[in-house]
Amino acid sequence: MKKTLSYSHLVLIHAAIALAIFVVPFLSKIYGLLVPVLGLLFIVRNKNKNNEVLLVVAYLVGVEVFLRMTGGNFNNEYVKFLVIFFMLIGMIYSNFSINASVYLVFLLLLIPGILVTTVSENLNTDIRKALVFNLSGPLCLAIASIYMYKRRILFSNLQNVLIVMGLPIITTITYLFLYNPSVRDVVTGTQSNFETSGGFGPNQVSTILGLGIFIFFSQFALSSKSKKEIVLNSILLIFVSYRAIATFSRGGVITGVVMIICLLFLLYYLSNKRGKNKVGLILLLISVLGMGIWSYTSSQTRGLIEKRYANKDAKGREKNDRLGGREAIIGADLELFLENPILGIGAGMGKDIRKESLGQSVAAHNEISRMLSEHGLFGIFGFLILFIVPFVIYINNQQHLYFFSFFLFWLLTINHAAMRIAAPAFVYALTLLSVQVKIPEKTSNNLK
């Protein structure tokens, strides 16, 4: 991936994968099997000497939405369980820090909520399914965090992790163009659009494309070593941004933009005068690019995208809620927490219990409010661990240029899309890496 030609070939290969699966949909199942099989062989052959696990898991995280979109996953939690499996393999080869046991404490805090669920008399709830659906995300986050806790990695290798995560996102946007070549023909309102999202959930598609916006921006700004790479990453950034906006799901796009702003601010703050000028030029270029993408998208949607972000319907009328009904779900969760402040209502029980206040069974889109209602006081303690630990590590880890961007991706994503996909769990864990920009005298895969 260090050579322009190799990177270009990888981009073309992943675009070709989308074309092949679009023509022969069954190939998605084969793709979904090949990725973990080849990934396991890659790790075993190298014995994880250079954190190969991170590359394999990054690829799985990047490809998850595409597999779910095309039926290549074998169940909704397929990639999350693969992430857990590979992280455990990584620990077998490369051990882990004893201090990472704080995330075992986080998992222990989930147990009371599980016990409440298991003794529940709610016959309308499939307990096993509810527990798996709601706890696979936190479990994935905890296991990934244990592996990555203060694990040394060079910044250049972290860039490779982002590239690997971005490659299957190229497959996703290529497939979206094939599935829906003309956005103009399918956009009729301001609601999230399944047609422009490949027939899959716009919220999840927007989330992974928003992450893609940041990935290709970071490659454009920090890793493009030639004019060809600058052009290629610019094109990828344009395409992924356009298709992300076209989903009409705002969360992922806003998150991607916030991540970019955060990175630019940090780069500006840390740079000398010459560096500040370069950051200013990048900001100018990205602003012009952004306005161009927005203007084109607006023309393709006949101005409806502007109404969407202004929280208006197709006729220009202000909508009553600003978060697509999420306010009502959060409000219901807070009421449930106040009624059950210690143990909560039980892990996974919120969906059916909300029916009493909302009139229908609705899954939580906000992981914080879900932890409050379903785990009570133990949920609060659990979230405090997740919030505080990365900042404690960052105090002595300030070469981690992506720290704030990664942390904000996790925090913003769990507030609009919960932990439906593995991306927020994995990106959160990346904040815990001990990143070194310069090559130290002795590099190793050992932990601090």
Side-chain angles (χ1 to χ4, degrees):
M1 285 182 289
K2 293 182 179 181
K3 295 181 180 180
T4 304
L5 183 62
S6 178
Y7 180 44
S8 302
H9 280 172
L10 287 170
V11 170
L12 291 174
I13 288 169
H14 282 81
I17 290 172
L19 177 60
I21 291 175
F22 181 77
V23 175
V24 186
F26 180 73
L27 291 176
S28 184
K29 288 288 186 186
I30 298 175
Y31 187 34
L33 278 174
L34 278 178
V35 172
V37 169
L38 294 178
L40 181 60
L41 292 174
F42 176 58
I43 294 167
V44 171
R45 186 183 65 183
N46 294 283
K47 297 182 179 180
N48 200 42
K49 291 180 180 178
N50 295 299
N51 289 310
E52 284 80 8
V53 161
L54 291 182
L55 297 175
V56 173
V57 172
Y59 194 91
L60 285 166
V61 168
V63 83
E64 181 180 14
V65 168
F66 178 74
L67 291 179
R68 293 180 68 175
M69 183 188 299
T70 57
N73 60 321
F74 293 86
N75 59 61
N76 286 338
E77 316 306 323
Y78 179 61
V79 169
K80 291 178 192 172
F81 287 135
L82 284 175
V83 170
I84 293 169
F85 170 75
F86 281 114
M87 287 298 174
L88 292 174
I89 293 293
M91 291 180 211
I92 292 172
Y93 278 114
S94 308
N95 210 340
F96 60 92
S97 171
I98 190 65
N99 293 326
S101 58
V102 65
Y103 287 98
L104 291 177
V105 175
F106 166 73
L107 290 178
L108 290 175
L109 289 170
L110 301 178
I111 292 177
I114 295 173
L115 295 177
V116 171
T117 299
T118 56
V119 299
S120 171
E121 297 180 355
N122 190 336
L123 300 179
N124 296 322
T125 301
D126 183 334
I127 292 177
R128 185 190 64 82
K129 185 177 180 179
L131 289 176
V132 170
F133 179 78
N134 287 278
L135 297 181
S136 58
L139 179 61
C140 181
L141 181 148
I143 300 301
S145 297
I146 291 171
Y147 176 80
M148 289 191 234
Y149 188 93
K150 288 190 176 182
R151 190 170 295 274
R152 294 190 183 96
I153 186 172
L154 296 177
F155 182 75
S156 58
N157 291 336
L158 180 57
Q159 286 288 75
N160 288 339
V161 171
L162 289 185
I163 291 173
V164 169
M165 188 158 43
L167 289 173
I169 296 177
I170 295 170
T171 306
T172 304
I173 58 172
T174 304
Y175 185 85
L176 291 177
F177 276 107
L178 295 170
Y179 185 92
N180 167 232
S182 175
V183 170
R184 179 184 291 271
D185 292 341
V186 298
V187 173
T188 57
T190 60
Q191 68 279 5
S192 296
N193 196 301
F194 279 79
E195 285 295 318
T196 60
S197 303
F200 185 61
N203 205 9
Q204 284 76 35
V205 175
S206 172
T207 296
I208 201 67
L209 295 187
L211 180 58
I213 290 172
F214 176 77
I215 289 172
F216 294 115
F217 169 78
S218 67
Q219 299 309 308
F220 164 78
L222 299 178
S223 293
S224 296
K225 297 180 176 63
S226 66
K227 291 181 179 179
K228 287 184 178 179
E229 283 198 4
I230 291 174
V231 171
L232 179 56
N233 284 315
S234 298
I235 292 172
L236 293 173
L237 178 59
I238 291 169
F239 282 156
V240 74
S241 299
Y242 168 57
R243 293 307 307 209
I245 297 170
T247 64
F248 275 71
S249 183
R250 297 165 291 185
V253 177
I254 293 172
T255 299
V257 171
V258 170
M259 292 174 75
I260 289 173
I261 292 173
C262 187
L263 177 61
L264 286 174
F265 178 82
L266 187 62
L267 290 174
Y268 186 86
Y269 176 76
L270 295 175
S271 298
N272 54 25
K273 185 176 180 180
R274 182 180 177 183
K276 283 179 169 60
N277 291 334
K278 183 178 179 181
V279 173
L281 178 60
I282 292 173
L283 178 60
L284 177 62
L285 291 173
I286 205 68
S287 297
V288 172
L289 199 64
M291 288 188 290
I293 295 168
W294 181 264
S295 298
Y296 180 75
T297 309
S298 180
S299 69
Q300 290 298 300
T301 61
R302 299 182 296 275
L304 290 173
I305 193 64
E306 295 174 357
K307 292 178 181 178
R308 171 63 171 171
Y309 279 76
N311 200 49
K312 296 178 181 179
D313 63 18
K315 295 182 179 180
R317 296 172 298 194
E318 191 79 21
K319 293 183 179 180
N320 292 328
D321 62 85
R322 299 195 64 84
L323 301 176
R326 291 178 177 83
E327 299 100 321
I329 300 174
I330 294 172
D333 278 343
L334 292 178
E335 288 182 14
L336 291 172
F337 168 70
L338 293 175
E339 294 171 4
N340 307 271
I342 306 301
L343 296 177
I345 58 175
M349 299 301 293
K351 182 176 180 180
D352 288 331
I353 293 179
R354 289 186 203 98
K355 188 174 182 178
E356 298 176 8
S357 57
L358 300 178
Q360 58 181 329
S361 296
V362 186
H365 287 72
N366 187 301
E367 190 69 11
I368 299 173
S369 69
R370 188 198 68 78
M371 287 186 69
L372 285 176
S373 65
E374 297 185 4
H375 297 274
L377 186 61
F378 292 92
I380 292 177
F381 290 146
F383 182 74
L384 286 176
I385 288 174
L386 300 185
F387 193 90
I388 293 171
V389 172
F391 286 95
V392 173
I393 294 176
Y394 181 70
I395 292 173
N396 296 311
N397 187 30
Q398 296 187 24
Q399 292 189 58
H400 195 336
L401 299 179
Y402 293 147
F403 173 84
F404 291 104
S405 296
F406 287 167
F407 187 84
L408 285 171
F409 174 81
W410 166 74
L411 186 61
L412 293 176
T413 299
I414 66 170
N415 272 280
H416 75 83
M419 298 187 74
R420 300 282 195 278
I421 59 177
F426 178 69
V427 174
Y428 170 89
L430 290 176
T431 67
L432 306 177
L433 291 170
S434 178
V435 180
Q436 298 169 301
V437 175
K438 295 181 179 180
I439 301 176
E441 292 181 6
K442 294 182 180 180
T443 60
S444 70
N445 196 28
N446 297 326
L447 301 168
K448 288 183 176 180

